[in-house]
Amino acid sequence: MNFCTMAHGAVQCLFRATCRTHPGKTFSPQLMSYEFFHRSLNKELSSQWKMDHLDRTANNFRQQIISQAKVCRITTESETVKRVRFAVQNKDFTFKPGQWVDFFIPGISKVGGFSICSSPRLLQKDGVLELAVKYSTYPPAKWIHTQCTLDSEVELRVGGDFFFDPDLDSPPVNLLMIAGGVGINPLVSILLHVADLHRLHQSRVTEYEPGFVNLLYSAKNTDELLFKKTLLDLADKFPGKIDCSFHVTQQITPVCEYLRPYVTEGRISEQILAKHLSQDCLCYICGPPPMIESTSQQLENLGAPRDWIHFEKWW
């Protein structure tokens, strides 16, 4: 596939938006990470579990604002994932779709790191954001599943170089997003943001109309596919603009009739990527590190330029 005719202006606008949060830096953090990714992956996989969130993300951008936040809703997203909504106290607290928060819990020394799964507009409109956290024995995640209750208070700080925040004065760009497991979190935030931009365009608030978004989402089984209804509702509300497909790797029970048209059994292969990769799309990947490595290599094999491939791998 020949990518020589790609719309370089659109991606440059995205990179400018990224670099504005990093005064004095003239490179893309995602590009820098990609150059070192393949060399360091094996080392990271053997040592990362020993590192705290703050250590793993020490070189990432962080805002200075730390805001108090109160739990105002808790729902069960799957057997292993809880979705928690927080009322954010600081009115100056903002984030870009795709970013994460440092998660400070009173009485717990370990600092959590969780990707935001809601849209920036929800924060602007209602003063809340949401996290979807998978159970583990890591103290912050375990606290959410075993001790967190309505009105529990925590502190939040936004960080991260992985986001999609387009310049509304620039030409739109298409997105191919690939998620694995709970790695859907930052990508659903991006997708919700794109949907908000479509609504603003439809209501004539802005002339900017986002490009096409294609989400490929893989999990062990349909029970572990998070945000299923939200994703399918968005595809239904914005036909020709948003498309979602699900892939399950260890499905034992039959797929329910409602999901059957959208589910493919097996991993997201290079052949599947080839069907969805176009000449004018940015690629966003979030999932387990081995998945990120294989998917980014497959995209490269298909001709995607390295600086159009973005991924979140700290977790």
Side-chain angles (χ1 to χ4, degrees):
M1 185 177 294
N2 183 1
F3 281 76
C4 294
T5 58
M6 291 177 116
H8 292 289
V11 71
Q12 288 171 354
C13 290
L14 174 66
F15 287 168
R16 285 198 297 271
T18 303
C19 291
R20 277 199 295 270
T21 64
H22 300 264
K25 295 186 179 181
T26 58
F27 56 85
S28 162
Q30 290 82 9
L31 177 58
M32 179 185 69
S33 297
Y34 194 98
E35 297 296 336
F36 289 96
F37 180 59
H38 294 291
R39 292 203 297 263
S40 61
L41 181 68
N42 290 336
K43 181 179 179 181
E44 288 184 11
L45 288 176
S46 63
S47 62
Q48 192 177 63
W49 66 272
K50 301 177 183 178
M51 300 173 65
D52 288 337
H53 163 69
L54 294 181
D55 295 324
R56 294 196 301 267
T57 60
N59 294 324
N60 288 105
F61 164 77
R62 277 181 166 80
Q63 290 184 3
Q64 294 185 351
I65 294 173
I66 298 179
S67 176
Q68 291 184 329
K70 183 179 290 188
V71 175
C72 57
R73 182 187 296 174
I74 304 173
T75 56
T76 299
E77 193 67 31
S78 76
E79 289 185 357
T80 59
V81 175
K82 287 205 173 196
R83 186 172 179 176
V84 186
R85 174 173 287 194
F86 297 86
V88 179
Q89 305 302 311
N90 192 318
K91 302 301 182 184
D92 295 324
F93 185 97
T94 61
F95 71 94
K96 298 179 187 296
Q99 290 186 306
W100 40 259
V101 290
D102 293 330
F103 193 80
F104 303 93
I105 305 167
I108 295 181
S109 60
K110 297 289 185 182
V111 177
F114 305 118
S115 294
I116 302 167
C117 63
S118 53
S119 71
R121 184 163 176 78
L122 183 65
L123 177 63
Q124 295 166 3
K125 185 168 65 77
D126 298 336
V128 299
L129 64 75
E130 294 185 339
L131 308 175
V133 179
K134 187 169 185 176
Y135 177 82
S136 77
T137 57
Y138 193 67
K142 187 174 182 180
W143 178 86
I144 284 179
H145 280 261
T146 61
Q147 295 178 256
C148 178
T149 61
L150 290 177
D151 295 330
S152 289
E153 295 185 353
V154 298
E155 291 185 330
L156 306 175
R157 177 174 58 194
V158 169
D161 306 311
F162 177 88
F163 56 81
F164 178 67
D165 186 37
D167 183 342
L168 303 189
D169 293 323
S170 299
V173 61
N174 297 329
L175 302 181
L176 173 58
M177 303 197 298
I178 304 103
V182 76
I184 187 64
N185 282 339
L187 300 187
V188 79
S189 177
I190 292 173
L191 193 60
L192 290 168
H193 180 60
V194 170
D196 285 335
L197 292 175
H198 276 300
R199 294 186 184 99
L200 292 174
H201 176 76
Q202 291 173 348
S203 59
R204 302 183 186 277
V205 174
T206 176
E207 294 184 1
Y208 179 86
E209 183 177 15
F212 180 73
V213 180
N214 199 324
L215 172 66
L216 309 179
Y217 179 21
S218 175
K220 289 182 179 179
N221 53 60
T222 54
D223 289 337
E224 289 297 315
L225 289 168
L226 310 181
F227 314 110
K228 293 185 285 289
K229 186 177 185 305
T230 297
L231 296 173
L232 294 180
D233 284 349
L234 288 175
D236 183 60
K237 290 177 182 177
F238 300 100
K241 299 294 183 181
I242 293 175
D243 188 65
C244 300
S245 62
F246 302 135
H247 302 259
V248 293
T249 58
Q250 299 178 29
Q251 186 75 20
I252 299 175
T253 59
V255 176
C256 70
E257 186 176 351
Y258 169 66
L259 290 176
R260 198 172 299 146
Y262 311 99
V263 173
T264 299
E265 296 200 32
R267 298 185 183 279
I268 301 172
S269 65
E270 188 168 322
Q271 290 74 23
I272 291 173
L273 292 174
K275 293 179 182 178
H276 298 286
L277 184 64
S278 68
Q279 292 185 337
D280 59 351
C281 69
L282 296 174
C283 303
Y284 282 78
I285 315 168
C286 190
M291 174 195 170
I292 294 174
E293 182 185 44
S294 62
T295 303
S296 58
Q297 185 60 60
Q298 288 167 351
L299 290 169
E300 252 199 285
N301 295 341
L302 293 169
R306 287 187 175 187
D307 57 359
W308 282 58
I309 301 172
H310 307 269
F311 44 76
E312 184 74 280
K313 65 184 179 66
W314 60 265
W315 59 278

